[in-house]
Amino acid sequence: MDESPTDREVSVALVDYGLGNLRSATRGLERAGASVEITDDPAAFAAADGVVLPGVGAFREGMENAGPLREALTDHAEAGRPLFGICLGMQMLLTTSEEADHEGEGEVTGLDLVPGTNVRFDVDRKVPHMGWNELDVSRDHPIVEGVDGEHAYFVHSYYAAPDDADAVVATADYGVDFPAVVANEAGNVFGTQFHPEKSGETGLKILRNFVDYCAEQ
């Protein structure tokens, strides 16, 4: 198995806001060559080479739990530093989600780092979309280096619909082509709808790409 080409250990702050697969994400990042600190301390975000925002669950609960960290996450991103959202964490990078409206909870504002909304699957297939699906890389970005045509593991009922089509880095097909990877215009804020920590060698490649990207910044 190839090792990550980084010359030094990369430090990653894994955001602990009560909704995430912290243990499996930590293992995956460590396998990719990172030193991981699970934290809710904004000072740790500033000290780390990169920040990972994991997430499992509902958009409203995610934003409410992460509310005290909103400013720190936004500052980190606006400083041009790497921020990687996973699953719900990716959806939280966007502006809004239909999920709160669907549940009768009204509008909830996301981090608005990748402008757009999250919409519910409206397909003649079982929802949530759960299982392995093929990645179709739409454009170049360091996070997807070497994974075009590979398969990743998804569990979700909503998907990102960015305002700017160029924000879509890779797609997958589930009755509709939906964004599997998104990124902001600067490229330092990005997310995967799938779980790289559950996606075998493909996921490990994604995590190594992230670690390498952090090392180069």
Side-chain angles (χ1 to χ4, degrees), residues 73-150:
L73 292 168
T74 301
D75 288 348
H76 180 90
E78 291 180 348
R81 307 187 68 204
L83 175 60
F84 179 12
I86 295 175
C87 197
L88 174 62
M90 186 197 89
Q91 295 184 6
M92 290 165 62
L93 300 177
L94 276 76
T95 314
T96 60
S97 177
E98 289 182 355
E99 184 172 11
D101 284 339
H102 181 77
E103 300 296 333
E105 297 171 339
E107 185 171 290
V108 180
T109 303
L111 295 172
D112 195 30
L113 297 170
V114 180
T117 191
N118 297 284
V119 300
R120 185 175 172 83
F121 277 113
D122 182 17
V123 294
D124 188 22
R125 298 192 185 188
K126 182 179 179 181
V127 177
H129 167 222
M130 183 180 300
W132 295 85
N133 207 331
E134 184 177 352
L135 302 177
D136 181 8
V137 173
S138 310
R139 66 175 179 85
D140 290 339
H141 188 283
I143 198 69
V144 294
E145 183 69 31
V147 300
D148 189 30
E150 301 296 333

Side-chain angles (χ1 to χ4, degrees), residues 7-88:
D7 310 352
R8 62 176 178 83
E9 191 168 53
V10 168
S11 62
V12 171
L14 184 62
V15 184
D16 182 4
Y17 63 103
L19 293 176
N21 292 324
L22 299 180
R23 186 156 51 179
S24 56
T26 297
R27 284 198 302 266
L29 287 161
E30 288 176 345
R31 286 188 67 200
S35 170
V36 181
E37 179 181 2
I38 299 172
T39 182
D40 61 359
D41 180 3
F45 304 167
D49 294 311
V51 172
V52 174
L53 181 65
V56 176
F59 187 84
R60 170 179 285 279
E61 187 178 8
M63 289 313 307
E64 287 178 348
N65 285 19
L69 305 175
R70 177 190 290 268
E71 184 176 356
L73 292 168
T74 301
D75 288 348
H76 180 90
E78 291 180 348
R81 307 187 68 204
L83 175 60
F84 179 12
I86 295 175
C87 197
L88 174 62

